[in-house]
Amino acid sequence: MRGVLSAIAFGLLCQAAIASPVIGVSWPGDTARQWKVDSETIRSAVSAASGAVIETDARLSAAKQILDVKSLIDAHVDVLVVAAVDPRALETSIQMAVAAGIPVIGYDRPIGLDGVFSIGFNQADVGRLQALALYAARPRGDWVLLKGDFDDPQTARLYAGQIAVLKDSISAGLIRIAGEAYTPGGLSLNARRAFGNILDATRNSVDAVLTPDDASAGEAISVLEERGLVEKVAVVGQGGDPETLNRIARGQQTATIWEDHEALARKTADVALLLAYGHSPRELGVARPLDDGQGTTYELHLQPFTITVDALDLALTAGWIDADRLCRDVPAGRIADCP
């Protein structure tokens, strides 16, 4: 009889957990990536499903994020969402969560571990769109390739997408790589230093710059402004934050690859709730065997969009930016979106 009562009690507890799922979210703390909007969207979606969200902020520290993830595991969250500062540094912590039976979602940056579900934007696709946008503006000349952190797998994906588009033009001598450099730690200030060094080495002979993100694009544009070159050099980044969209409206940046983080957050909340309700990752995403053959990861990719001066209305319509912020310091009549 005691066993029957225990089974009934256990069943009731499981029903309660399913009815009120708790989603743990570990944020990296980089305000430049608009995590505040992502957080609000996830909390709203989970709350609408009568769930709760526990959040931590790693403050850009991989060491702190390891402790944050452990605290969320100890809190017995039903699903763990991680926007990793350094996915490799978190491997042991993520494996602990999986071993504890907690489904894990790699948010925005994939976590290549067995059983982990990652949701974000395919960086190979982003790199391809970046290269196409910059090629449309500067189909020949001296290009600079600024990359992300050497140890970040996303850097290789982005570069592969870029080179797939550019390799024939490079081979034909239409595009010459004036310089390329990694960005240690993925920090935009390191991109600024690297770009400044390349400009010094080439005596400012640069026509186009591909950057790993819009923060780095902004730093490159700042250097170009200091040297009186901002109107002569085409720059493309990725992310689509409001400051970048304003730079595009002002004619300082050629394009960005816009990643709709509100849509990303909504999709992540949906998947997190389904995982909390007992659905398996295999039901929800595309299975990919790991490179080492030791398991399977799952990745769901959202569609990125190219934003040029002629496509700023996409961001306005989506509510990612309002007209006042978009049109700040834009000369009257320069673009249709800023009368």
Side-chain angles (χ1 to χ4, degrees), residues 37 242 245 258 260 262 312-322:
V37 172
L245 299 177
W258 181 44
D260 188 345
E262 189 169 356
L312 288 169
D313 61 309
L314 286 175
L316 281 171
T317 302
W320 188 245
I321 190 172
D322 58 43

Side-chain angles (χ1 to χ4, degrees), residues 26-30 56-66 68 83 85:
S26 173
W27 296 113
D30 184 353
T56 61
D57 183 343
R59 300 174 188 171
L60 295 179
S61 167
K64 184 178 185 304
Q65 192 164 43
I66 290 171
D68 289 347
V85 174

